[in-house]
Amino acid sequence: MIESCYESHVEGKGKNHLDSNGPSGKLKGVQCSVCRSVAPVTSPESACASMSLPGVMDAEGRVDESRLRMHIFKNGGVSPDERGLVWRFLFGMYPCSSTALERPLLLEQMAVRYQVMKRKWQQLLPGAVHLRLNGTDAELLTAVKYFEQRQDREQNKQQIESEEAGEKMSFLQLQAQVLFKRVTFDLEELQEAVRIIDKDVPRTDRDLPYYRNEGLGNLLVLRDILITYAAFHPEVSYAQGMNDLCSRFLEVLHSEVDTYWSFSCYMEKFSKDFCADGLYRKMELEAALLKELDPQLYSHLVTDNMEKITFCHRWLLLGFQREFEHSDALRLFEIFSCDHLELISQQVDRARYQERLARKYSLEDEPVKELQAVNRDFTFELFMCATILLENREALLSCRNDAQLIQFTSSLQGKLDLNSTLKKTEEHFYNYCKRSAWDYLRGRCRMRKSKEDHFLYQLRNLFS
């Protein structure tokens, strides 16, 4: 991973899910997600903050990851006051095993590395440091002003901190420079990524309270984060949609460094979804699940090339960001990311159960044939997507062309109720698991009966 410093940037000088906001204490020092100031480079307060979620953080500041994920799922997310700190652990910026004493040191290291990373691409591509403006977007011109004011504040702050930290900061900077010295860039590819980022960032939803007034400067913070990520992750670079995803982290964490590292950790797991192969694989899985749940709707929507169902990819890629009200979309993103109820999380218990069944129903002289109880790739988000399709079944069956499908998806934006959708998704999830378990048991029984019939047949032949 990698980092960089903030410098001049712009040209021109349940229970169920029904309980949405579980009990939580005020997170001192971490700003609310609707703050309208420009995000600082770092948020030192978060490193020492404590979590009030019951049984999640111990006296030394270590987090019980399993309990954290369980709390998020069972309570339908966390309160806005807790969200900033929770996300820093949930997405891997801070190790759950770290203590409150260790985290300030970790944050210092991450901040210095980010600064070195950012400075590296800015020195190699000085023309990309500033967002090119055509003068027709008054809001972006205002954003530049707010961003420059923030730059001045951060530079003064860094000078004071450098004088106080002295040798420690010099060591961390030297360490980061050595770490990234041999990193090389494909300048042509990076310039192309910057070009696309400069087109996408101004399109980020400016209607959000986070980007209003002085908060407009956060568009330029977002730009720096995305360029730094693209520069140091050339295998992924930048793809459309990443701006909306990263914007979500910036809004919640309200810190450039914290957003970069949390977003990078998230992308380690999900970057493949932004590639063509990842897109096709996800659509294959969604189609397979829909076929299990509603064969008729599957036949109507899924063609050989699955073009009709590709509208679901944006839902899955951005966590249904536009289909639910914004605060609900943040809750849902937490729920998906906690992985508590994913089929994959049940792998150990399922493996033990299958082992017991195998010992009970198999004959000792024959190997046990593996039967698939459930498709472990059917994640909770795929079930939610299928639930939305099933809830709008009649409307979808009446769609006869792509234009009607586009009209249908547009009609859902901001209209879905999260609590109701989560409840129905859980029902589909559990019904699928229950049905799959019965199918598995019946298959085992058939195998056993087949082996017994084969044994009796051989016995009769022996005496005939």
Side-chain angles (χ1 to χ4, degrees), residues 297 300-303 306-312 314-315 389 392-413:
L297 186 57
H300 177 71
L301 289 179
V302 180
T303 57
M306 290 193 293
E307 284 184 356
K308 279 190 176 182
I309 204 174
T310 51
F311 67 86
C312 296
R314 181 183 60 78
W315 292 357
L389 296 177
N392 294 275
R393 187 177 188 274
E394 298 305 319
L396 285 168
L397 289 174
S398 66
C399 292
R400 300 299 175 187
N401 53 52
D402 292 342
Q404 292 178 346
L405 278 175
I406 293 172
Q407 186 178 7
F408 161 75
T409 54
S410 298
S411 69
L412 296 182
Q413 293 188 11

Side-chain angles (χ1 to χ4, degrees), residues 210-434:
Y210 189 69
Y211 292 109
R212 290 179 191 161
N213 303 326
E214 186 179 342
L216 275 170
N218 288 314
L219 291 171
L220 304 180
V221 179
L222 178 63
R223 177 182 184 267
D224 278 1
I225 295 169
L226 292 171
I227 295 176
T228 305
Y229 179 84
F232 287 87
H233 298 81
E235 71 284 358
V236 183
S237 188
Y238 175 81
Q240 289 184 327
M242 287 185 187
N243 61 313
D244 290 321
L245 189 60
C246 189
S247 172
R248 183 178 293 169
F249 283 95
L250 182 58
E251 176 188 353
V252 170
L253 304 179
H254 196 62
S255 161
E256 183 176 4
V257 167
D258 299 30
T259 296
Y260 173 81
W261 291 109
S262 298
F263 176 70
S264 296
C265 290
Y266 176 85
M267 290 298 290
E268 283 183 8
K269 183 177 180 181
F270 293 103
S271 61
K272 62 183 181 295
D273 291 345
F274 288 88
C275 304
D277 290 345
L279 184 155
Y280 191 79
R281 172 60 178 159
K282 195 142 252 184
M283 291 303 92
E284 276 187 327
L285 289 170
E286 189 60 53
L289 177 58
L290 187 61
K291 187 175 183 179
E292 290 262 3
L293 301 178
D294 192 328
Q296 183 184 2
L297 186 57
Y298 163 85
S299 299
H300 177 71
L301 289 179
V302 180
T303 57
D304 291 337
N305 56 12
M306 290 193 293
E307 284 184 356
K308 279 190 176 182
I309 204 174
T310 51
F311 67 86
C312 296
H313 184 257
R314 181 183 60 78
W315 292 357
L316 297 167
L317 189 67
L318 300 180
F320 305 89
Q321 179 172 298
R322 298 173 188 170
E323 282 60 50
F324 294 97
E325 193 272 328
H326 183 64
S327 61
D328 283 344
L330 291 177
R331 285 175 50 209
L332 183 59
F333 191 59
E334 288 169 352
I335 294 165
F336 286 156
S337 300
C338 77
D339 291 335
H340 177 67
L341 197 60
E342 303 291 353
L343 291 176
I344 194 170
S345 72
Q346 303 171 9
Q347 183 172 348
V348 174
D349 289 339
R350 187 164 56 248
R352 290 173 180 166
Y353 178 64
Q354 290 176 351
E355 187 178 354
R356 291 197 299 271
L357 284 178
R359 285 199 300 266
K360 183 175 180 180
Y361 291 117
S362 65
L363 297 177
E364 293 183 358
D365 58 338
E366 290 190 30
V368 179
K369 181 181 177 182
E370 276 296 323
L371 291 177
Q372 180 88 7
V374 290
N375 189 331
R376 297 172 186 174
D377 293 324
F378 288 165
T379 56
F380 192 67
E381 63 175 350
L382 293 177
F383 276 91
M384 172 158 281
C385 184
T387 298
I388 295 173
L389 296 177
L390 293 173
E391 288 300 302
N392 294 275
R393 187 177 188 274
E394 298 305 319
L396 285 168
L397 289 174
S398 66
C399 292
R400 300 299 175 187
N401 53 52
D402 292 342
Q404 292 178 346
L405 278 175
I406 293 172
Q407 186 178 7
F408 161 75
T409 54
S410 298
S411 69
L412 296 182
Q413 293 188 11
K415 303 291 180 62
L416 298 181
D417 178 75
L418 180 58
N419 291 331
S420 173
T421 306
L422 282 169
K423 186 175 180 180
K424 291 171 183 174
T425 301
E426 287 181 0
E427 291 174 358
H428 285 300
F429 182 92
Y430 284 121
N431 287 337
Y432 167 78
C433 290
K434 184 167 63 176

